[in-house]
Amino acid sequence: MMKLHDRKPDIENLYKVFRREAPARPTLFELFLNRPLYERLAGRELVDGGPDFAVRNQRLMIDAFAAAGYDYATTHASEMGFNAEPRNRKDTISLNEGFVITDEASYEAYVWPEPENCDYSRLDDAEKYLPDGMKLMVMGPGGVLENAISLTGYDNLCYMIYENHDLAKAIFDNVGRRLVKYYEIAAPYPAVGFIMSNDDWGFKNQTFLSPEHMREFVLPWHKKIVDVAHARNMPVTLHSCGNLDCVMDDVIDYCGFDAKHSFEDVILPVEDAYEKWGGRIAILGGIDVDFVIKRPDSDITERSRAMLKRAEGRGGYALGTGNSVPEYVPQDKYFAMIKAALEY
C-alpha cells in the first residue's frame, strides 16, 4: 500500500464539514478516483471476475481511499441499475443514444429493476475490514434525471414532457421511487456513514429542464432521498454537474441537502461558490479538473492551500477536484492537489 501520510481515518471530520463547521484537520472529498490510481494506492490489482469480485474490489478501494487520506470510501450498495442500450463512449457521450422508452407500448414492455431483489451483502462485508474511524459513502446507480434521460433520450424527453406529460411523469416516478427504496435499504447498514445523490442536472449555462419542470419531476424525489438520510441522522450530499444557479435555493431550502459537489471554473469557481453559498450548504471539492490537468504542480498545490485557508475557521469545505479523477488526470497532478491537505 502506498504511504502518503500518517493520519488515521476519522469520519467526524467530514461530518463537521457537512455541519458547516471547521474540521479538526483539512479534509478530503472525491466522488471517485480511477482504476490505475486505486491500484497504485492499494498496491494490488483490481479483479475483473470471480464469485467475490465485487467484495474484493470494494476492499481494495477502501484501502486506496485510506491510503490517500480520506475518511470514507465510495461504493455502490448493490448492482441495481436501469437497463438501457449501450452508448458510444469516447471523450464524451451522447444524451440521445441508448434510449428504450419512446411511447406507452415501450414503457409497458420495459422491465424495471426492483431494489429489494438486489444483493446488498457487500455493505455487511465492508464492516469487517473498514479501518477504525472510516465509513462508506453510498452513491446511487445514477440519479433521477440521469436515468430518465438514459431511458428516453434527452431530446425525446423534452418533447415527451409537452406531448405526453403523463408518460413523462410515470417514467420519473418509476425511477425516483426505486432510487428512494435503494437508499432506504442501504442506509441502515452500520458501515454506511452518509449517502450521495448523484444526478447531473445541467449544461454550462442552465439546467437540462426548465426550473419549473425540475421542481415538478426531479426535485421532489431528491427531497425524499434526503429525508431517507435525515431520518437516520445521516448526512446526504448532492453531486450534480452543470449550472444550477436557478435551483440552488431549492437544493438548499426545499431538498435540504447538507453539501453540494461538482464545480467548474467556467460556470462558477469554487472560491466564488463558497462565498455565495457556503454559509448555507457545505461545499465539496471544486479544484477544476481542467485546471488540475493543465497547470503546474506548484499552481495546483497553491490553489488548494488557498482554498483550505479561505475555509479555515469558517468550516464547511473539503478539498477535492471539481468532479472526479478520471484516468486522463495525471497522477502527479492529483497528488499535488491532496498534498495541500496532507501537509497543511
Side-chain angles (χ1 to χ4, degrees):
M1 186 181 298
M2 196 171 187
K3 182 70 171 178
L4 294 174
H5 59 87
D6 294 319
R7 62 165 65 184
K8 295 183 183 301
D10 184 359
I11 193 65
E12 285 300 323
N13 280 288
L14 198 50
Y15 288 163
K16 286 183 178 180
V17 170
F18 287 137
R19 295 195 298 266
R20 303 190 304 284
E21 300 171 2
R25 53 163 167 73
T27 301
L28 294 169
F29 184 89
E30 208 64 63
L31 179 61
F32 57 82
L33 307 179
N34 61 73
R35 179 170 184 157
L37 188 53
Y38 288 133
E39 293 176 339
R40 181 177 177 184
L41 288 165
R44 62 188 188 277
E45 294 184 355
L46 286 160
V47 296
D48 293 315
D52 62 345
F53 81 98
V55 172
R56 291 170 63 192
N57 288 346
Q58 180 178 254
R59 184 169 186 175
L60 182 146
M61 291 174 68
I62 287 171
D63 290 345
F65 272 90
Y70 296 89
D71 300 302
Y72 71 97
T74 298
T75 192
H76 288 92
S78 70
E79 294 301 312
M80 194 196 96
F82 296 87
N83 292 324
E85 295 297 323
R87 292 173 174 177
N88 185 26
R89 291 182 175 270
K90 293 187 177 179
D91 292 335
T92 184
I93 60 174
S94 171
L95 297 181
N96 291 305
E97 291 182 357
F99 56 85
V100 291
I101 300 177
T102 56
D103 53 21
E104 282 84 355
S106 53
Y107 169 78
E108 293 296 336
Y110 183 74
V111 180
W112 294 93
E114 297 303 336
E116 300 92 331
N117 297 336
C118 297
D119 181 6
Y120 297 79
S121 61
R122 68 182 67 178
L123 301 179
D124 269 333
D125 292 319
E127 192 178 5
K128 303 170 187 174
Y129 45 78
L130 273 170
D132 290 342
M134 195 174 196
K135 292 285 187 179
L136 295 177
M137 176 185 79
V138 168
M139 62 185 295
V144 180
L145 182 54
E146 280 184 342
N147 280 299
I149 290 173
S150 293
L151 294 174
T152 64
Y154 175 64
D155 288 357
N156 293 338
L157 180 61
C158 292
Y159 285 117
M160 188 185 295
I161 286 172
Y162 288 95
E163 296 177 352
N164 197 336
H165 183 277
D166 289 348
L167 178 58
K169 181 73 162 55
I171 292 168
F172 276 107
D173 288 351
N174 270 284
V175 171
R177 184 165 55 248
R178 285 165 172 83
L179 288 175
V180 170
K181 176 56 68 174
Y182 167 90
Y183 287 113
E184 284 178 341
I185 295 170
Y189 282 86
V192 178
F194 64 105
I195 64 176
M196 162 71 79
S197 192
N198 44 295
D199 194 18
D200 289 344
W201 287 355
F203 301 110
K204 181 174 69 174
N205 297 315
Q206 65 187 56
T207 49
F208 291 140
L209 305 181
S210 71
E212 293 74 22
H213 287 141
M214 291 292 294
R215 293 177 184 123
E216 179 180 3
F217 296 115
V218 180
L219 292 169
W221 289 109
H222 281 273
K223 177 174 172 52
K224 290 179 184 295
I225 291 169
V226 170
D227 290 344
V228 168
H230 286 176
R232 305 194 65 83
N233 295 314
M234 179 181 290
V236 55
T237 182
L238 171 69
H239 166 90
S240 185
C241 299
N243 190 329
L244 308 190
D245 190 72
C246 63
V247 293
M248 273 303 292
D249 285 342
D250 302 88
V251 168
I252 297 168
D253 299 325
Y254 171 67
C255 294
F257 280 104
D258 298 292
K260 165 68 170 67
H261 180 253
S262 192
F263 298 94
E264 296 176 69
D265 286 352
V266 72
I267 298 174
L268 185 69
V270 66
E271 294 85 353
D272 296 337
Y274 183 78
E275 298 301 332
K276 186 173 184 176
W277 295 308
R280 301 169 61 199
I281 191 170
I283 302 297
L284 307 178
I287 307 302
D288 189 86
V289 174
D290 188 67
F291 180 92
V292 172
I293 292 171
K294 294 180 178 178
R295 299 299 287 268
D297 292 5
S298 58
D299 288 359
I300 298 165
T301 303
E302 181 55 34
R303 182 179 180 183
S304 300
R305 283 176 177 156
M307 189 60 220
L308 289 170
K309 185 69 175 177
R310 180 186 294 266
E312 190 176 45
R314 298 164 65 185
Y317 178 72
L319 177 67
T321 67
N323 183 285
S324 58
V325 187
E327 286 190 32
Y328 53 78
V329 174
Q331 292 186 5
D332 288 349
K333 305 284 190 178
Y334 164 75
F335 290 127
M337 179 190 68
I338 66 171
K339 173 183 177 181
L342 299 180
E343 298 181 0
Y344 191 75

